[in-house]
Amino acid sequence: MDETGPLTEHEPTRTGLSVDALHRALLDNLFYVVGRFPAVATRQDYYRALAFTVRDRLLHRWLRTVQTYKEERSRTVCYLSAEYLPGPQLGHNLLALGIFDNTREAVRRVGLELDDLIEEEAEPGLGNGGLGRLAACYLDSLATLQRPAIGYGLRYEFGIFRQRIDNGWQVEVSDSWLRDGNPWELRRPHIAFEIGLGGHTERYLDHHGHTRVRWVPGETIRGVAHDTAIPGYGVFNSNLLRLWAAEATESFDFGSFNAGDYQGAVRRKIRSETISRVLYPNDEPETGKRLRLIQGYLFVSCSLQDMLRIHLAGGEGLDRFPQRFVVQLNDTHPAIAVAELMRLLLDKHGMEWESAWDLTRRTFAYTNHTLLPEALEKWSLTLFEETLPRHLEIILEINQYFLDEVRMRFPHDEALTTRLSLIDETGPRYVRMAHLACVGSFSINGVARLHTALLADTVLRDFHTLWPERFNNKTNGISPRRFGNLSNPDLCALLSRVAGPGWAADAERLRLLEPHAHRREIYPEWRRIKLERKRALARYVADQTGIVVDPESMFDIQVKRIHEYKRQHLNVLHIIALYSRIKMDPTLDAAPRTFVFGGKAAPGYKMAKLIIKLIHSVGEVVNRDPAVRDRLRVVFVPDFNVKVAQRIYPAADLSEQISLAGMEASGTGNMKFALNGALTIGTLDGANVEIREEVGAENFFLFGLTSAEVQARKRSGYCPYDCYRENPVLREAIDLLADGLFSHGDRALFRPLVDHLLQQDDYMLLADFQSYIDCQDRVDRAFRDADSWTRMSMLNVARIGRFSSDRVVQEYCREIWRLEPVTIRP
Ligand code: NBG
């Protein structure tokens, strides 16, 4: 893949891909861009010089891509997402450009190692979890599949908080990822739009004598574009991630200056810039409500204005807009787009309601990512009225037409009308953003087969009754480049050797590994690679936590956001049970295990933070107890993010996907683990269902209630205390916890957790406990048969190709976006 060759006279320093060209560019950039001499340059300086070297090579592709899309008037998908977790860029871009080896060599020439420079990069943590990472995987696939796409979002100055652990408790530290600058982005001062906030609306007659509405905002703010290139893998296409940063408008400083209120003007300027300052951690219903609404509105409005600008510059009329653009709403965070496009068409472009509505509904498609009621966004009507008065008017008008339509079709069902309304009037009035998204979109999709079915059956049931044809499923996928090639190069080299190359761009080709899964002669190498990744993780863990773990033990890993529904505490109950079993019976024949956890808890989510403390507390006792020395270890890897994830997935033997059935929309970590040869222990939840079908039931450790059983148990009155009373193993585990064995005798510390489990147990840990324990015993036996485990591991990798984000993006392109590839030539 590498384009090697000596530097010729004709090879320009800014685009050449040979070792010589890269080496020269690196030194040039170090001097002319970073402003340092080799003698004094730090690794960070070299990282930046290298990043600029790579960006130069991307720019060439990026500008060519823009030009071609424009000339060919290509249809473009705009992905609107409040969150992106792209991970570090350097390695990814080298891989896409096919210059990993040459760059490694060029870096060696200056006496450094490429891997060390890759480590220098700060991660853009512009998201909370799966949803933001999914958006990044889709951008990667869109570019690789040569589809014209723009990812629109917000340039938070502070991303998701960094997690420190202090005495077992999570402590949040602000994440200043931009401190050393961001060499990948280009600020585009000429691509900026104003948005209004607050104020009031006025009616007036236009020159045709029609009544029109004008919004007179109380203040205005500017969003300025910051662009990052997203190169496709092995192709010349390079798409765009365009993030908006809030700035003060000049016009708005003026009045204050003239009035001599310099300080007031500065204060307002600072306040404007606060808007894109920080990403809000999710699961925190009440914090920063207003600011969140404004954040969403800022990026949505700027993005739509940008699309309209691009469209109109192409010389076509607005009526052709839905032919040129399709807009995917990534969850409800950008759902205000429906009202904003209406506003732009009606108030700015003088369109009539019917045509504007028709155009809007042909533009948007909506993806739902959760069934959790607390995650379905609602905004109070008062807040809306204060902040976006014109949008509220539009939403109320949309609602009126919509409910009229409902009443026509279901004349005697006022309850249905009430349930469907865009406004929740059961108490204080709220705008239901998911309803706005449904009404304004031509497509509504869930992110795994079970999730989509449950959506249609529960949360969006009435919409499904109304418009079944709008519903469709798109089971999530992951980028094989980032979670294969980049994270686990040795495994990938083996895959290419055994199964043949090409799987990175066509993951279905991993199937070619299947016939080799029975060749025992490959097993030692397969295991050696896994062991090497486990050793590397063990070093990292020792470095981060001081805990020494045995790479030969089974690495049993659960990494994801900490949430009760994900049931990290069920995992802990198993650890406690196993611990006490070994204490009772020191001869117990069980494979040594290292339990690894990682993940952040929302700062306001007390129970999740207590679960982090619980993991540490159990770890402290277990790790110190000589009776289980060499048999059990518990570690918590702090600050789980994309960078850390890339170390963890390759090192896993067992992947914990143990949410209560019906709760996890899809999960994508499950796919990342399997691609790296881990076996899954999991419930029939989210995409686990489909993963199990693909890899085969015999290569997947299944336990737990099904979602239908969960519903039935809840209907018939689930009583967790019965499980506790009837199961001695469970009782013992919970009693140990309650009695303070893991809290230095403090019986109060974990009381809230224990009480909740015994009295309420919303996520039915106690109901699933025995099934989980039994399943873990099966895992144990399977792991001790190394050859059979290796074969299962290989089969998991061979059959996981369907969960490539390339497959998903192709489905989106075919079934929702109607998007064709556009080849970019050098
Ligand atoms: C998350 C779900 C995951 C899913 C990702 C990506 C939100 C709101 N939802 O199960 O919890 O894998 O979205 O679809 O973050």
Side-chain angles (χ1 to χ4, degrees):
M1 220 174 346
D2 278 303
E3 300 168 41
T4 32
L7 182 63
T8 66
E9 305 252 314
H10 311 291
E11 191 179 31
T13 326
R14 304 205 96 162
T15 51
L17 303 177
S18 69
V19 176
D20 283 334
L22 290 165
H23 175 230
R24 196 167 70 189
L26 177 61
L27 291 175
D28 259 19
N29 281 325
L30 184 69
F31 190 85
Y32 291 110
V33 185
V34 183
R36 300 281 267 179
F37 287 114
V40 293
T42 62
R43 266 193 203 160
Q44 176 65 212
D45 294 330
Y46 271 107
Y47 153 70
R48 295 187 59 217
L50 183 58
F52 288 121
T53 302
V54 176
R55 192 182 76 182
D56 283 343
R57 279 139 188 88
L58 289 178
L59 263 169
H60 178 40
R61 295 174 177 230
W62 166 5
L63 297 180
R64 175 61 57 86
T65 304
V66 173
Q67 193 186 8
T68 309
Y69 290 169
K70 193 167 165 193
E71 278 164 15
E72 302 198 1
R73 297 190 170 192
S74 312
R75 180 170 164 81
T76 301
V77 61
C78 295
Y79 203 78
L80 289 192
S81 180
E83 302 189 4
Y84 288 92
L85 283 173
Q89 299 295 289
L90 178 55
H92 175 266
N93 290 342
L94 292 176
L95 186 70
L97 292 169
I99 55 171
F100 231 116
D101 295 341
N102 283 4
T103 306
R104 194 180 296 284
E105 193 48 42
V107 171
R108 285 214 175 112
R109 284 197 194 168
V110 301
L112 293 169
E113 277 304 317
L114 177 58
D115 292 343
D116 296 334
L117 298 193
I118 289 177
E119 256 325 291
E120 282 294 312
E121 184 167 348
E123 159 156 355
L126 310 183
N128 273 285
L131 172 145
R133 181 53 233 177
L134 188 78
C137 283
Y138 288 179
L139 292 188
D140 172 358
S141 287
L142 277 161
T144 300
L145 294 165
Q146 306 189 295
R147 294 325 202 267
I150 306 174
Y152 282 111
L154 272 166
R155 181 179 177 276
Y156 304 104
E157 202 176 314
F158 297 93
I160 184 75
F161 62 88
R162 281 191 301 128
Q163 179 191 55
R164 291 252 175 82
I165 302 296
D166 188 0
N167 186 29
W169 294 99
Q170 166 176 299
V171 177
E172 299 88 22
V173 183
S174 67
D175 156 68
S176 34
W177 70 289
L178 290 169
R179 197 189 43 210
D180 296 322
N182 173 5
W184 301 105
E185 74 182 0
L186 285 180
R187 182 170 181 272
R188 303 287 202 183
H190 58 289
I191 304 180
F193 298 96
E194 296 201 354
I195 65 149
L197 291 174
H200 63 277
T201 61
E202 293 172 352
R203 263 119 266 257
Y204 68 99
L205 290 182
D206 68 8
H207 48 265
H208 301 295
H210 296 144
T211 306
R212 292 265 158 207
V213 183
R214 175 189 306 135
W215 175 22
V216 187
E219 58 179 303
T220 55
I221 287 165
R222 249 157 62 96
V224 180
H226 290 68
D227 291 348
T228 303
I230 308 288
Y233 171 78
V235 294
F236 215 76
N237 299 54
S238 180
N239 286 335
L240 206 61
L241 172 61
R242 175 160 288 171
L243 302 178
W244 304 100
E247 293 187 4
T249 47
E250 290 147 40
S251 50
F252 126 109
D253 285 348
F254 244 108
S256 320
F257 274 130
N258 291 343
D261 180 16
Y262 177 71
Q263 304 231 330
V266 171
R267 249 196 321 275
R268 273 193 293 277
K269 177 173 158 59
I270 291 171
R271 211 183 48 186
S272 310
E273 291 174 357
T274 301
I275 288 174
S276 56
R277 193 80 79 197
V278 58
L279 165 77
Y280 286 99
N282 56 6
D283 317 330
E284 260 194 300
E286 283 317 316
T287 39
K289 271 274 181 194
R290 189 181 121 85
L291 212 51
R292 266 156 92 142
L293 180 64
I294 299 175
Q295 282 190 337
Y297 179 57
L298 172 78
F299 97 84
V300 160
S301 177
C302 290
S303 307
L304 287 170
Q305 292 187 61
D306 196 33
M307 289 173 224
L308 289 170
R309 170 189 67 89
I310 297 170
H311 178 70
L312 294 173
E316 287 180 296
L318 273 181
D319 54 317
R320 300 269 306 154
F321 183 76
Q323 270 81 41
R324 292 286 166 248
F325 286 95
V326 56
V327 179
Q328 191 70 34
L329 304 174
N330 199 28
D331 222 72
T332 55
H333 319 131
I336 186 67
V338 173
E340 174 65 358
L341 183 58
M342 283 299 283
R343 186 190 69 87
L344 291 167
L345 296 175
L346 296 169
D347 300 358
K348 296 283 169 203
H349 295 277
M351 219 181 234
E352 297 307 320
W353 183 276
E354 284 74 25
S355 350
W357 183 237
D358 174 63
L359 192 154
T360 298
R361 278 224 308 216
R362 285 189 290 130
T363 299
F364 292 109
Y366 159 53
T367 305
N368 173 290
H369 292 267
T370 183
L371 297 164
L372 292 185
E374 64 262 36
L376 289 173
E377 278 187 306
K378 296 194 295 184
W379 299 105
S380 93
L381 223 64
T382 332
L383 175 62
F384 230 97
E385 193 154 31
E386 278 165 22
T387 316
L388 301 170
R390 177 60 181 136
H391 296 80
L392 183 60
E393 287 176 5
I394 291 173
I395 289 172
L396 293 176
E397 197 163 341
I398 293 174
N399 199 32
Q400 208 166 53
Y401 286 116
F402 167 54
L403 295 183
D404 284 349
E405 186 190 321
V406 174
R407 286 194 189 98
M408 293 258 278
R409 283 184 56 189
F410 302 91
H412 305 296
D413 198 344
E414 236 353 82
L416 176 70
T417 314
T418 310
R419 290 201 305 273
L420 279 168
S421 173
L422 303 188
I423 311 297
D424 179 347
E425 304 190 70
T426 47
R429 298 201 297 164
Y430 286 100
V431 181
R432 296 164 164 160
M433 298 310 272
H435 291 209
L436 180 60
C438 285
V439 172
S441 298
F442 65 86
S443 159
I444 302 167
N445 77 281
V447 290
R449 200 208 303 136
L450 174 67
H451 169 61
T452 301
L454 289 172
L455 259 188
D457 200 40
T458 59
V459 184
L460 299 181
R461 185 192 184 103
D462 296 321
F463 285 99
H464 185 256
T465 310
L466 218 51
W467 303 308
E469 71 286 352
R470 288 193 198 178
F471 282 72
N472 62 93
N473 176 56
K474 297 286 167 287
T475 299
N476 284 169
I478 57 164
S479 161
R481 273 77 64 184
R482 181 159 299 264
F483 295 103
N485 306 64
L486 267 188
S487 313
N488 205 342
D490 290 345
L491 180 67
C492 293
L494 177 64
L495 291 177
S496 298
R497 219 170 57 237
V498 178
W503 58 268
D506 177 6
E508 286 293 347
R509 288 203 209 172
L510 287 169
R511 285 261 172 209
L512 298 173
L513 181 68
E514 203 172 313
H516 301 275
H518 301 279
R519 287 175 53 203
R520 281 168 194 263
E521 69 274 18
I522 306 176
Y523 294 2
E525 187 171 5
W526 190 269
R527 289 199 282 260
R528 186 191 57 73
I529 289 167
K530 178 61 78 184
L531 184 61
E532 211 30 70
R533 290 345 296 152
K534 289 164 75 174
R535 286 200 178 114
L537 181 60
R539 285 192 295 272
Y540 182 73
V541 164
D543 180 59
Q544 296 289 310
T545 68
I547 300 171
V548 176
V549 303
D550 174 12
E552 305 274 351
S553 64
M554 180 202 308
F555 277 24
D556 174 342
I557 309 189
Q558 187 171 21
V559 285
K560 48 180 78 239
R561 282 299 284 253
I562 312 291
H563 202 294
E564 287 165 280
Y565 86 75
K566 296 178 188 277
R567 304 201 293 192
Q568 282 90 356
H569 46 337
L570 178 59
N571 189 339
V572 174
L573 285 179
H574 168 241
I575 300 175
I576 298 177
L578 187 59
Y579 172 61
S580 93
R581 239 164 96 192
I582 297 178
K583 294 274 283 184
M584 300 284 279
D585 174 12
T587 66
L588 184 86
D589 202 12
R593 285 206 205 202
T594 300
F595 295 90
V596 180
F597 293 85
K600 294 175 186 176
Y605 187 177
K606 291 216 178 74
M607 198 62 101
K609 293 176 111 171
L610 189 57
I611 291 174
I612 293 180
K613 175 65 177 169
L614 172 70
I615 296 167
H616 283 94
S617 303
V618 172
E620 215 180 291
V621 171
V622 169
N623 296 345
R624 259 207 321 243
D625 190 337
V628 296
R629 181 183 303 284
D630 306 329
R631 305 193 64 178
L632 295 182
R633 276 279 185 286
V634 182
V635 297
F636 188 96
V637 183
D639 202 36
F640 182 66
N641 59 16
V642 178
K643 222 167 154 177
V644 176
Q646 289 176 212
R647 300 174 182 277
I648 290 185
Y649 298 122
D653 294 306
L654 187 65
S655 151
E656 297 271 353
Q657 308 301 333
I658 60 177
S659 51
L660 175 66
M663 300 305 301
E664 188 71 87
S666 160
T668 43
N670 43 9
M671 303 164 187
K672 296 163 195 170
F673 276 113
L675 176 64
N676 283 278
L679 302 192
T680 306
I681 180 166
T683 49
L684 283 179
D685 198 16
N688 292 356
V689 178
E690 292 158 77
I691 292 177
R692 178 167 172 268
E693 280 171 13
E694 286 290 310
V695 304
E698 65 288 4
N699 302 306
F700 185 107
F701 298 96
L702 178 70
F703 76 96
L705 299 171
T706 64
S707 69
E709 288 163 351
V710 167
Q711 285 169 22
R713 283 283 284 272
K714 291 213 160 150
R715 266 198 308 273
S716 69
Y718 168 56
C719 176
Y721 199 84
D722 291 346
C723 306
Y724 169 80
R725 212 181 38 231
E726 286 157 18
N727 185 333
V729 179
L730 173 60
R731 204 162 58 228
E732 197 201 356
I734 292 200
D735 288 350
L736 290 177
L737 198 61
D739 293 344
L741 178 69
F742 303 104
S743 41
H744 308 280
D746 177 356
R747 299 168 58 97
L749 181 60
F750 296 119
R751 196 77 244 170
L753 224 152
V754 170
D755 283 351
H756 187 270
L757 287 181
L758 292 180
Q759 289 157 23
Q760 219 176 322
D761 194 18
D762 287 328
Y763 303 106
M764 301 177 94
L765 280 78
L766 305 202
D768 273 347
F769 176 81
Q770 194 55 49
S771 165
Y772 182 55
I773 299 291
D774 295 342
C775 192
Q776 286 287 16
D777 281 345
R778 295 202 297 280
V779 170
D780 175 71
R781 284 193 296 278
F783 187 73
R784 285 186 286 150
D785 181 346
D787 277 355
S788 143
W789 185 274
T790 305
R791 186 174 41 79
M792 291 197 282
S793 163
M794 288 180 72
L795 286 174
N796 264 264
V797 176
R799 296 171 178 174
I800 205 69
R802 170 158 184 258
F803 302 95
S804 161
S805 47
D806 296 344
R807 184 267 311 158
V808 195
V809 161
Q810 266 159 340
E811 287 177 8
Y812 275 97
C813 285
R814 208 171 44 237
E815 295 160 26
I816 302 179
W817 300 336
R818 292 182 292 106
L819 212 60
E820 298 296 328
V822 177
T823 306
I824 309 296
R825 295 184 202 294

